[in-house]
Amino acid sequence: MSTVEAMAAADAAEAGGRTKSSSPRAIPVIGVVTPHEDMQGVFKPMDLNRIIKLLEENDKDDLEEKQLNSVMKVVHCYQYGFPLRDLAQVFKILGLCAEKIQKQPCFVEPASDLIKLCGLPFLKKKVSDEITYTEDTANSLALLGELMKIPSSKLRIQICKCIVDFYHAEPPKKHIPGYQQVSSSYKVKMAEVGGLAKAMVQSVFLMETKLVEKLWVLKVLQHLSTSEANCTLMVKAQAAGRICAHLNDPDPSGQLLFRSSEILWNLLEKSSKDEIIQQLSNLECLLALKEVFKNLFMRGHSHYDHQLRNDILVITTIIAQNPGAPMILLIDGKVILALLTYVKKPERLKIIEWSAAQYEELQLHAIATLSSVAPLLIEEYMSCQGNARILAFLEWCDHEDSFFIHGNSFHGTGGRGNKFAQMRYTLRLLRAMVYLEDETVNTDLCERGVIHQLIGIFKNIASKHDEKEEAIALEIQSDALLILSGLCEHYIQRKEMFGTEGVDIILHVMKTDPKKLQSGLGHNVLLFSTLDSIWCCILGCYTSEDYFLEKEGIFLLLDILALNQKKFCNLILGIMVEFCDNPKTSAHINAWRGKKDLTAASLLIKLWRKEEKELGVKRDKNGKIVDTKKPLFTSFQEEQKIMPLPANCPSVAVMDVAENIRAKIYAVLGKLDFENLPGLSAEDFVTLCIIHRYLDFKIGEIWNEVCEEIKLEKLKLVTFDKFSLESITTATENIGKMVASLQSEMIESQARQDVQNEQRVYAKIQATHKQRELANKSWQNFLARTSNAKTLKKAKRLQEKAIESSKYSERPQNAIFHRTVIKGLNTTVPSGRVVTVESTPTRLLGGPLADTDIALKRLPIRGGALQRVKPLSEPKKNAPM
């Protein structure tokens, strides 16, 4: 059997021969087995601690050879991997060998062999060994990083190979009875715990002039940087700055630049981005990035070179996000001018030929880089005619021609077959420059006609994009409106340039189907940009305001407000407050009607109630004030303790004005004078009482805070000030009581009105039932007269009696008597020459196709439908009926 198998057998025998008494842990042993003993299966143990003591001795002449032999025996014994239980002793031996290398170079070989075996999978005898020996394993692997300080090229390279093997575990060459291979990720995890990455970063300084060793260290760091834990350790060791500063070191193989850029990308993705940017924001790193980019740009031709160039450019762009980065190296190198050369219509280059896809990718990268770099170098940007170049390029982007981009790169996403990608990044660049609020830049843009150009771009994009391009088209429209807002704000002349044409595009967006706001494509962002444009480009310009009102812009604002989406409410209410300064606005607000005939005033009051419910303001079930001393207090104000503040710091009561929409609702209703508001319910009037007194209540809150702060600071007021403060506090509370009393009266009045309305409804119901009863009784009498002859005769006698009783008892002289009753008529109703027949059978009328001129027709003898016949002659006056 082999030595390791013998070791396993010895361990088993040792375990079987132990007693249950509490004896100390057995010392790890190794077996020295001769070929003959291998056949016999005999294992001769050897103490590892004895080898450690042997290596610690230094006073004997023939000691070196014995030490080397003992170490080589250890190497031979563990040729299939180290058991976790022996790892601490093995690495102690490795450390002692490493200490002797400087004076005794012959120890390099055995030390390298031991390190090589560390690349093999560790072995465990029990499942719990991975947990039991966690600390020993982590400390042992951390020693590998410390051994990088030993000035031995062979040893350093072997350490690097060993660590790389952690990430490429191989199956065991031979199965060891009684042992199992640890999990493949165990070493990687223990390296993280032991802080190996930090030690490897520190070793980069030791290899500045040794290219081969440096490349191996970078290869190790490339593997280690795939873990977030290792990246955190590397950042603490300043890995980004150390690696970036040596990007441009000589390396014929090109591995140094590739591995270094890969490490930087991993650090940016898996650790603190801000910390990495801070480490790279120094002149040394930026100069190295500049030289590398220039070399790749001028000499790189392969796809690999282009990819590497793009990576370096993006890293530079990320660094530019830090305002403290010394980007002024960029001025000396004319970087702004170089990047601006790509902001133009594509054309065939004379020196270097690029494919259309390559030029497109480079162009988009250049514009994206300018968005970060140009705002830091305004003078350089203006000296290179940046505005003119951008506007000319935008004009080409908006112009229809045969050019179509490929859309293969990251920046070209969504722009295949059109120029949307170029337009998107150019507008981002323009937006970054405008939002600097630099007067020179913005004035130059306006003089070059950027306002009308952006309005034209907006119209074209809105009319010609399809559904597949909707997301990028919405982003372009949003950026265009934001740029217009940045240019027009505070400048009446520019608002006039925005004019009715600009108002039309705003109204177009406001008419968007509300369902699209939840699509996730960017409609909500576009709507925010539109509302911002109303504030910045319309308000303050009377002609634009009037045109906006004329085109029912206030109606559209209220339609959006009625959607009840909190994210839009604050901005819309602020716009309405400003619009109410225009005397024509009030009529538009009062004329608006929403769903179910909802009025603007009712909508605002409903928003107030909803806001107070979310803020936790105390109200009873009818919306009445509960606490007259603190009628506007929110739950946050109740929880927040009042504390003394400097005079320039706003208190909680003051901050509450800006943090919710109640103040804006008060302002809008105040512009409407709180009177003659249409469409309000009793509940609305109860809430309106509170809104009407909002300013008084808020002033009272602030005076209450003043009182509390005076108490906390233990200040004593003079008599007059004390009396004034008490008067103000009392007056505020009285206003609260007055409003509560008025609310109670309104509630009681509404209750009485409800009762009266209910009584009227009941009276109407009773009258209806009574009428039905009379109709039923009349019908029953009619049935009785027609079905019973005695009843008919009785009714006839009663009728005749009533007729006789109505006549004069004595006949006047010379009077002509006219009979009022027709003889022989068996009816009990007054009769005349005209008889009305109800419910005439259809067979007599001839159906729906018969002529309806019944008064002039008579039934034909032969039957059938009614037909026209000659009308009957008028009866003579004296003819009997």
Side-chain angles (χ1 to χ4, degrees):
M1 74 173 67
S2 66
T3 54
V4 180
E5 291 172 340
M7 177 186 66
D11 287 343
E14 180 184 4
R18 286 181 187 156
T19 63
K20 294 185 179 179
S21 61
S22 58
S23 59
R25 180 180 179 274
I27 299 172
V29 297
I30 61 172
V32 180
V33 186
T34 63
H36 178 70
E37 290 172 335
D38 189 17
M39 293 175 63
Q40 298 295 325
V42 179
F43 174 73
K44 184 177 181 181
M46 179 180 289
D47 191 352
L48 281 177
N49 285 338
R50 183 181 63 80
I51 299 176
I52 294 173
K53 291 180 181 179
L54 179 63
L55 291 171
E56 289 174 344
E57 295 178 1
N58 294 316
D59 54 350
K60 295 182 180 179
D61 297 335
D62 58 343
L63 193 61
E64 181 178 298
E65 186 176 354
K66 292 181 180 180
Q67 290 174 339
L68 289 172
N69 289 334
S70 63
V71 174
M72 294 308 297
K73 289 178 181 179
V74 173
V75 171
H76 180 72
C77 176
Y78 294 109
Q79 59 182 313
Y80 298 115
F82 295 123
L84 291 176
R85 57 180 295 178
D86 297 343
L87 208 57
Q89 283 78 12
V90 170
F91 270 83
K92 178 67 174 176
I93 294 172
L94 176 60
L96 292 173
C97 292
E99 291 174 1
K100 298 178 180 293
I101 288 176
Q102 191 168 3
K103 294 181 180 179
Q104 298 172 278
C106 57
F107 278 92
V108 171
E109 190 67 30
S112 298
D113 291 341
L114 285 174
I115 293 171
K116 184 177 181 180
L117 294 177
C118 292
L120 298 175
F122 292 153
L123 303 174
K124 61 181 179 182
K125 191 170 185 180
K126 301 177 181 177
V127 176
S128 61
D129 282 357
E130 291 187 9
I131 300 175
T132 304
Y133 299 104
T134 295
E135 185 176 357
D136 289 347
T137 307
N139 293 336
S140 300
L141 296 182
L143 181 63
L144 293 176
E146 297 297 324
L147 294 179
M148 292 295 293
K149 298 176 182 178
I150 298 173
S152 170
S153 178
K154 182 177 181 180
L155 192 69
R156 289 172 174 172
I157 293 173
Q158 188 59 58
I159 292 172
C160 293
K161 289 181 179 179
C162 171
I163 298 172
V164 171
D165 288 340
F166 291 179
Y167 296 85
H168 306 284
E170 297 180 359
K173 297 179 180 179
K174 188 174 183 179
H175 177 68
I176 309 299
Y179 285 87
Q180 293 180 348
Q181 181 180 340
V182 298
S183 59
S184 58
S185 61
Y186 182 72
K187 280 186 181 180
V188 175
K189 186 176 180 180
M190 291 300 101
E192 295 174 2
V193 175
L196 178 61
K198 184 177 181 181
M200 295 305 295
V201 171
Q202 293 170 346
S203 67
V204 173
F205 277 120
L206 305 175
M207 292 117 186
E208 291 186 359
T209 59
K210 300 175 181 179
L211 180 60
V212 177
E213 298 172 24
K214 186 190 297 185
L215 292 177
W216 271 108
V217 172
L218 291 175
K219 186 175 182 179
V220 170
L221 291 175
Q222 184 182 357
H223 283 80
L224 292 175
S225 63
T226 57
S227 160
E228 291 185 4
N230 285 334
C231 284
T232 303
L233 294 171
M234 292 169 68
V235 170
K236 291 180 180 179
Q238 304 293 315
R242 292 182 177 184
I243 292 172
C244 185
H246 295 278
L247 279 177
N248 205 36
D249 288 357
D251 175 27
S253 68
Q255 292 187 45
L256 187 145
L257 181 57
F258 164 71
R259 299 193 188 283
S260 298
S261 63
E262 186 72 18
I263 294 168
L264 291 176
W265 269 115
N266 289 342
L267 291 175
L268 285 168
E269 290 178 355
K270 299 181 183 298
S271 61
S272 173
K273 186 177 180 180
D274 294 337
E275 181 65 26
I276 299 299
I277 293 174
Q278 194 64 35
Q279 290 183 21
L280 297 177
S281 297
N282 59 74
L283 192 59
E284 185 179 12
C285 292
L286 290 172
L287 287 173
L289 287 169
K290 172 192 170 184
E291 292 300 321
V292 168
F293 178 77
K294 183 175 70 173
N295 291 337
L296 289 171
F297 184 78
M298 299 301 296
R299 301 182 180 87
H301 300 288
S302 66
H303 176 75
Y304 165 78
D305 291 336
H306 294 164
Q307 184 63 45
L308 199 56
R309 174 205 64 203
N310 295 342
D311 290 345
I312 297 299
L313 186 59
V314 175
I315 291 173
T316 307
T317 305
I318 293 172
I319 298 173
Q321 297 175 7
N322 180 15
M327 302 303 287
I328 194 172
L329 63 97
L330 296 178
I331 295 176
D332 297 336
K334 305 291 184 182
V335 173
I336 294 293
L337 179 60
L339 293 173
L340 282 172
T341 57
Y342 289 93
V343 187
K344 63 180 181 180
K345 177 181 178 180
E347 57 185 16
R348 292 184 64 84
L349 302 178
K350 298 179 180 179
I351 301 175
I352 304 175
E353 294 292 339
W354 303 93
S355 68
Q358 290 172 337
Y359 185 85
E360 169 201 323
E361 186 173 356
L362 187 59
Q363 183 183 60
L364 294 174
H365 270 294
I367 300 172
T369 305
L370 278 170
S371 300
S372 299
V373 177
L376 305 176
L377 306 169
I378 298 176
E379 293 182 4
E380 181 75 7
Y381 170 83
M382 293 302 294
S383 66
C384 297
Q385 297 294 314
N387 285 342
R389 292 171 183 260
I390 289 174
L391 296 183
F393 187 67
L394 270 179
E395 185 177 0
W396 171 79
C397 291
D398 193 39
H399 181 67
E400 294 185 3
D401 56 21
S402 58
F403 176 83
F404 297 105
I405 72 168
H406 296 264
N408 295 323
S409 64
F410 168 77
H411 293 93
T413 303
R416 188 174 183 84
N418 52 52
K419 305 175 191 173
F420 282 179
Q422 282 90 341
M423 186 177 290
R424 171 169 59 176
Y425 282 96
T426 307
L427 287 175
R428 285 185 185 180
L429 169 58
L430 192 58
R431 186 186 66 188
M433 298 307 300
V434 168
Y435 271 73
L436 293 173
E437 297 184 355
D438 185 274
E439 189 57 30
T440 305
V441 175
N442 291 355
T443 302
D444 182 62
L445 283 170
C446 292
E447 290 176 352
R448 295 180 184 277
V450 69
I451 293 177
H452 292 295
Q453 185 175 353
L454 288 174
I455 292 173
I457 289 173
F458 188 99
K459 289 182 176 179
N460 290 338
I461 293 294
S463 62
K464 68 183 181 182
H465 74 273
D466 55 28
E467 293 183 359
K468 294 181 180 179
E469 301 159 351
E470 189 166 13
I472 188 172
L474 291 172
E475 182 182 344
I476 289 173
Q477 293 176 78
S478 299
D479 283 342
L481 289 177
L482 289 174
I483 294 167
L484 290 169
S485 299
L487 290 171
C488 296
E489 189 176 14
H490 310 308
Y491 294 93
I492 298 297
Q493 185 179 3
R494 296 176 187 174
K495 293 181 180 181
E496 291 174 350
M497 295 171 64
F498 185 78
T500 58
E501 192 177 8
V503 175
D504 285 335
I505 65 174
I506 287 178
L507 294 171
H508 171 77
V509 177
M510 294 176 67
K511 294 175 183 177
T512 303
D513 185 357
K515 296 178 181 178
K516 293 184 177 180
L517 296 176
Q518 308 299 330
S519 65
L521 295 175
H523 289 280
N524 55 344
V525 177
L526 178 58
L527 184 55
F528 269 118
S529 303
T530 304
L531 295 175
D532 187 57
S533 298
I534 296 174
W535 189 285
C536 299
C537 303
I538 297 178
L539 287 171
C541 179
Y542 298 126
T543 55
S544 296
E545 286 185 8
D546 290 345
Y547 185 76
F548 183 82
L549 293 172
E550 180 185 341
K551 294 295 182 178
E552 300 182 347
I554 288 294
F555 289 2
L556 295 174
L557 278 176
L558 289 168
D559 287 340
I560 299 172
L561 189 64
L563 296 176
N564 205 10
Q565 296 194 16
K566 190 174 180 63
K567 55 188 175 183
F568 298 124
C569 289
N570 202 1
L571 188 53
I572 293 174
L573 288 171
I575 293 171
M576 291 182 64
V577 171
E578 296 297 325
F579 253 112
C580 284
D581 289 335
N582 189 318
K584 301 177 183 179
T585 304
S586 299
H588 286 261
I589 293 177
N590 288 328
W592 177 84
R593 292 293 182 272
K595 293 181 179 179
K596 298 181 181 179
D597 207 30
L598 179 69
T599 64
S602 180
L603 172 62
L604 293 173
I605 294 172
K606 283 180 171 60
L607 288 175
W608 175 285
R609 285 199 293 268
K610 180 185 176 184
E611 185 76 0
E612 287 198 331
K613 185 177 181 180
E614 293 176 354
L615 294 172
V617 181
K618 293 180 179 178
R619 298 281 184 262
D620 67 3
K621 62 180 181 179
N622 296 315
K624 183 181 169 185
I625 291 175
V626 174
D627 188 351
T628 56
K629 293 183 178 180
K630 301 175 182 179
L632 297 178
F633 251 44
T634 65
S635 58
F636 174 76
Q637 287 177 280
E638 293 283 357
E639 297 170 359
Q640 191 77 14
K641 294 182 180 179
I642 296 176
M643 55 187 299
L645 295 171
N648 60 346
C649 291
S651 64
V652 177
V654 176
M655 290 298 295
D656 175 73
V657 175
E659 290 176 351
N660 57 69
I661 63 175
R662 292 190 294 179
K664 292 183 176 66
I665 294 175
Y666 165 77
V668 174
L669 292 175
K671 297 285 186 179
L672 301 177
D673 296 329
F674 291 104
E675 296 179 359
N676 300 324
L677 299 176
L680 299 187
S681 64
E683 185 182 12
D684 292 338
F685 279 111
V686 170
T687 307
L688 188 62
C689 293
I690 302 173
I691 301 175
H692 193 195
R693 289 291 185 172
Y694 172 78
L695 188 58
D696 296 328
F697 291 149
K698 184 55 66 175
I699 292 173
E701 277 186 19
I702 296 172
W703 278 113
N704 284 332
E705 287 183 338
V706 172
C707 292
E708 293 297 326
E709 289 185 17
I710 289 173
K711 291 179 183 178
L712 290 172
E713 294 180 355
K714 298 180 180 179
L715 299 176
K716 189 174 181 181
L717 300 177
V718 297
T719 305
F720 181 77
D721 288 345
K722 183 177 181 181
F723 175 76
S724 300
L725 195 58
E726 289 175 353
S727 300
I728 292 170
T729 305
T730 304
T732 303
E733 187 175 355
N734 288 338
I735 292 174
K737 292 179 180 178
M738 180 188 69
V739 172
S741 175
L742 180 60
Q743 288 178 315
S744 298
E745 291 179 8
M746 288 182 174
I747 294 169
E748 291 173 2
S749 175
Q750 182 62 32
R752 289 194 297 270
Q753 184 66 34
D754 291 341
V755 171
Q756 292 175 3
N757 292 338
E758 187 176 354
Q759 290 174 348
R760 281 197 293 269
V761 172
Y762 282 133
K764 187 175 181 180
I765 294 172
Q766 288 175 351
T768 302
H769 281 287
K770 187 174 182 180
Q771 187 66 25
R772 287 178 181 173
E773 289 175 0
L774 292 174
N776 290 335
K777 187 175 182 181
S778 175
W779 177 250
Q780 290 172 0
N781 291 335
F782 174 75
L783 291 178
R785 293 196 303 271
T786 56
S787 59
N788 192 328
K790 293 181 180 180
T791 305
L792 180 62
K793 290 178 181 180
K794 182 180 179 181
K796 180 66 175 178
R797 287 194 297 271
L798 291 174
Q799 182 186 23
E800 291 174 347
K801 184 178 180 181
I803 292 172
E804 290 297 328
S805 65
S806 65
K807 295 180 181 179
Y808 289 105
S809 57
E810 296 181 358
R811 182 180 301 177
Q813 294 180 358
N814 302 324
I816 299 174
F817 177 72
H818 296 278
R819 294 183 62 84
T820 59
V821 178
I822 303 173
K823 292 183 177 181
L825 187 67
N826 294 324
T827 62
T828 57
V829 294
S831 304
R833 298 181 64 183
V834 179
V835 178
T836 302
V837 180
E838 295 182 356
S839 302
T840 305
T842 304
R843 58 186 176 82
L844 298 178
L845 295 177
L849 299 179
D851 197 334
T852 58
D853 194 6
I854 299 174
L856 303 178
K857 312 290 187 296
R858 64 176 179 175
L859 290 174
I861 298 175
R862 61 180 177 270
L866 289 175
Q867 299 179 1
R868 282 188 179 273
V869 295
K870 292 182 180 180
L872 296 172
S873 60
E874 289 286 339
K876 294 181 180 180
K877 293 181 179 179
N878 297 327
M881 291 294 293

